Amino acid sequence: MARVLNWQLGREMTYPYEGAYPERQFAFVFNINRCIACQSCTMACKSTWTFSKGQEHMWWANVETKPYGGYPMFWDVKILELLERANPGGQRWSGQPSRDPKAPYGRFEGRTVFEAERMLTPDSARVLGYLPTDEEWNSPNIYEDNPVGEKGKPFSWSKTGEQLPEHKTWFFYLARICNHCTYPACLAACPRKAIYKRPEDGIVLVDQQECRGYRKCVEACPYKKVMYRGNTRIAEKCIACYPRIEGKDPEGGGKPLQTRCMTACIGQIRLQGLVKINRDGTWAEDRYHPLYYLVHVAKVALPLYPQFGTVPNGYYIPPRWVPRPYLRQMFGPGVDQAIERYENPDRELTAVLQLFNRAREIVYAYKILEGPKVYEGTLRGRRVTLYNDTVIAYGKDGEELFRTTVEEPVHVRPAVHANSI
Ligand code: SF4
Ligand code: SF4
């Protein structure tokens, strides 16, 4: 076992291989506050990659309703329980979120899926995990839209149900794809070394020629984002639409495009990019890259279950209305700071949030042009001032992709078309 730096946990950890990092890493930010569970992303992926015989149960991209939903069923509850058994009471964070890029969320003291030695069996020697049953794969988004609990109280069904005007119950939508992890558990577990991480963009792929369908990857991935195809007896997973990332999709005219799930997103919750990586696996400073800004400067976007230890490259702006203990176990100790910042955005954050899914091309940098003051007043008891700034997005070669303003233009449908739906 090698020792590698896990910056999301603020410490080194064991991993079966030495760290090897791409020049740029495929990464994304999802703003949960905006997701409406329309499933356009899910279907964009399904209709592109998993529409064939043997792939019926496969949803490389899915949107589940939390806390009850899950695909496969209860995937996160199950792996969290296994980690707890491996390290009873030890899954804790120490220290405080800080500016240190090697420990921005403090230090995680518990064991990761690679370190839970006492739980590892000869059958799953490298990574703590479990193999979901067929039934668990069969119900994507079971309990969709089911609310639960009352704010500030232990989880339970609300006795009064959902009541207007105040919603006492809560749920939220969690959109998920493979996180193309920096330390992939799927790769670590594969006895045939059939899974690899591309040096140019960090995308994690299964070599279909080498795979023999042992399903060690399915068992090991804590996010359950590798799936087994029964008719070919080979594992398959999200490929990050790599032809689009490479600029080979004819739609893009040679430019790198965001994945299908990103560009299909109606809620404009998604922003995908390629971030610069240092030689130790941390993110290189790239001040005007929108993902660098959201994750490392504004710190509004947090990794999903960082305690698993894989350094997932999917980041989430947590939902404002959900009880904090639930969010802290899901996104780590940065939750309170992230929500505070998101609820009270400064000019720069307000502008950068406009970049989400305004174009298909991948954004490499942004610039803000200051605009006039358009609003001054109070929001939730605080003074707010809103400026109609313009944010300009730049592509791979520094070309301008698009520009957009904070204040969305209002289009009034001409009366002649008023009832033309
Ligand atoms: S999310 Fe799972 S399948 Fe994707 S790279 Fe990480 S461990 Fe592998
Ligand atoms: S397309 Fe966007 S808004 Fe719709 S379910 Fe997917 S992530 Fe949510």
Side-chain angles (χ1 to χ4, degrees), residues 30-31 34-42 62-63 173 175-176 261-262 264-270 357:
F30 290 175
N31 183 355
R34 287 179 175 173
C35 180
I36 54 173
C38 63
Q39 306 284 2
S40 304
C41 50
T42 310
N62 76 294
V63 181
Y173 302 121
R176 301 204 299 122
C261 60
M262 309 285 168
C265 176
I266 290 174
Q268 298 188 320
I269 85 153
R270 296 172 174 235
N357 207 19

Side-chain angles (χ1 to χ4, degrees), residues 322-335:
V322 172
R324 297 295 169 90
Y326 188 87
L327 293 180
R328 287 188 204 112
Q329 56 91 37
M330 183 170 260
F331 300 110
V335 159

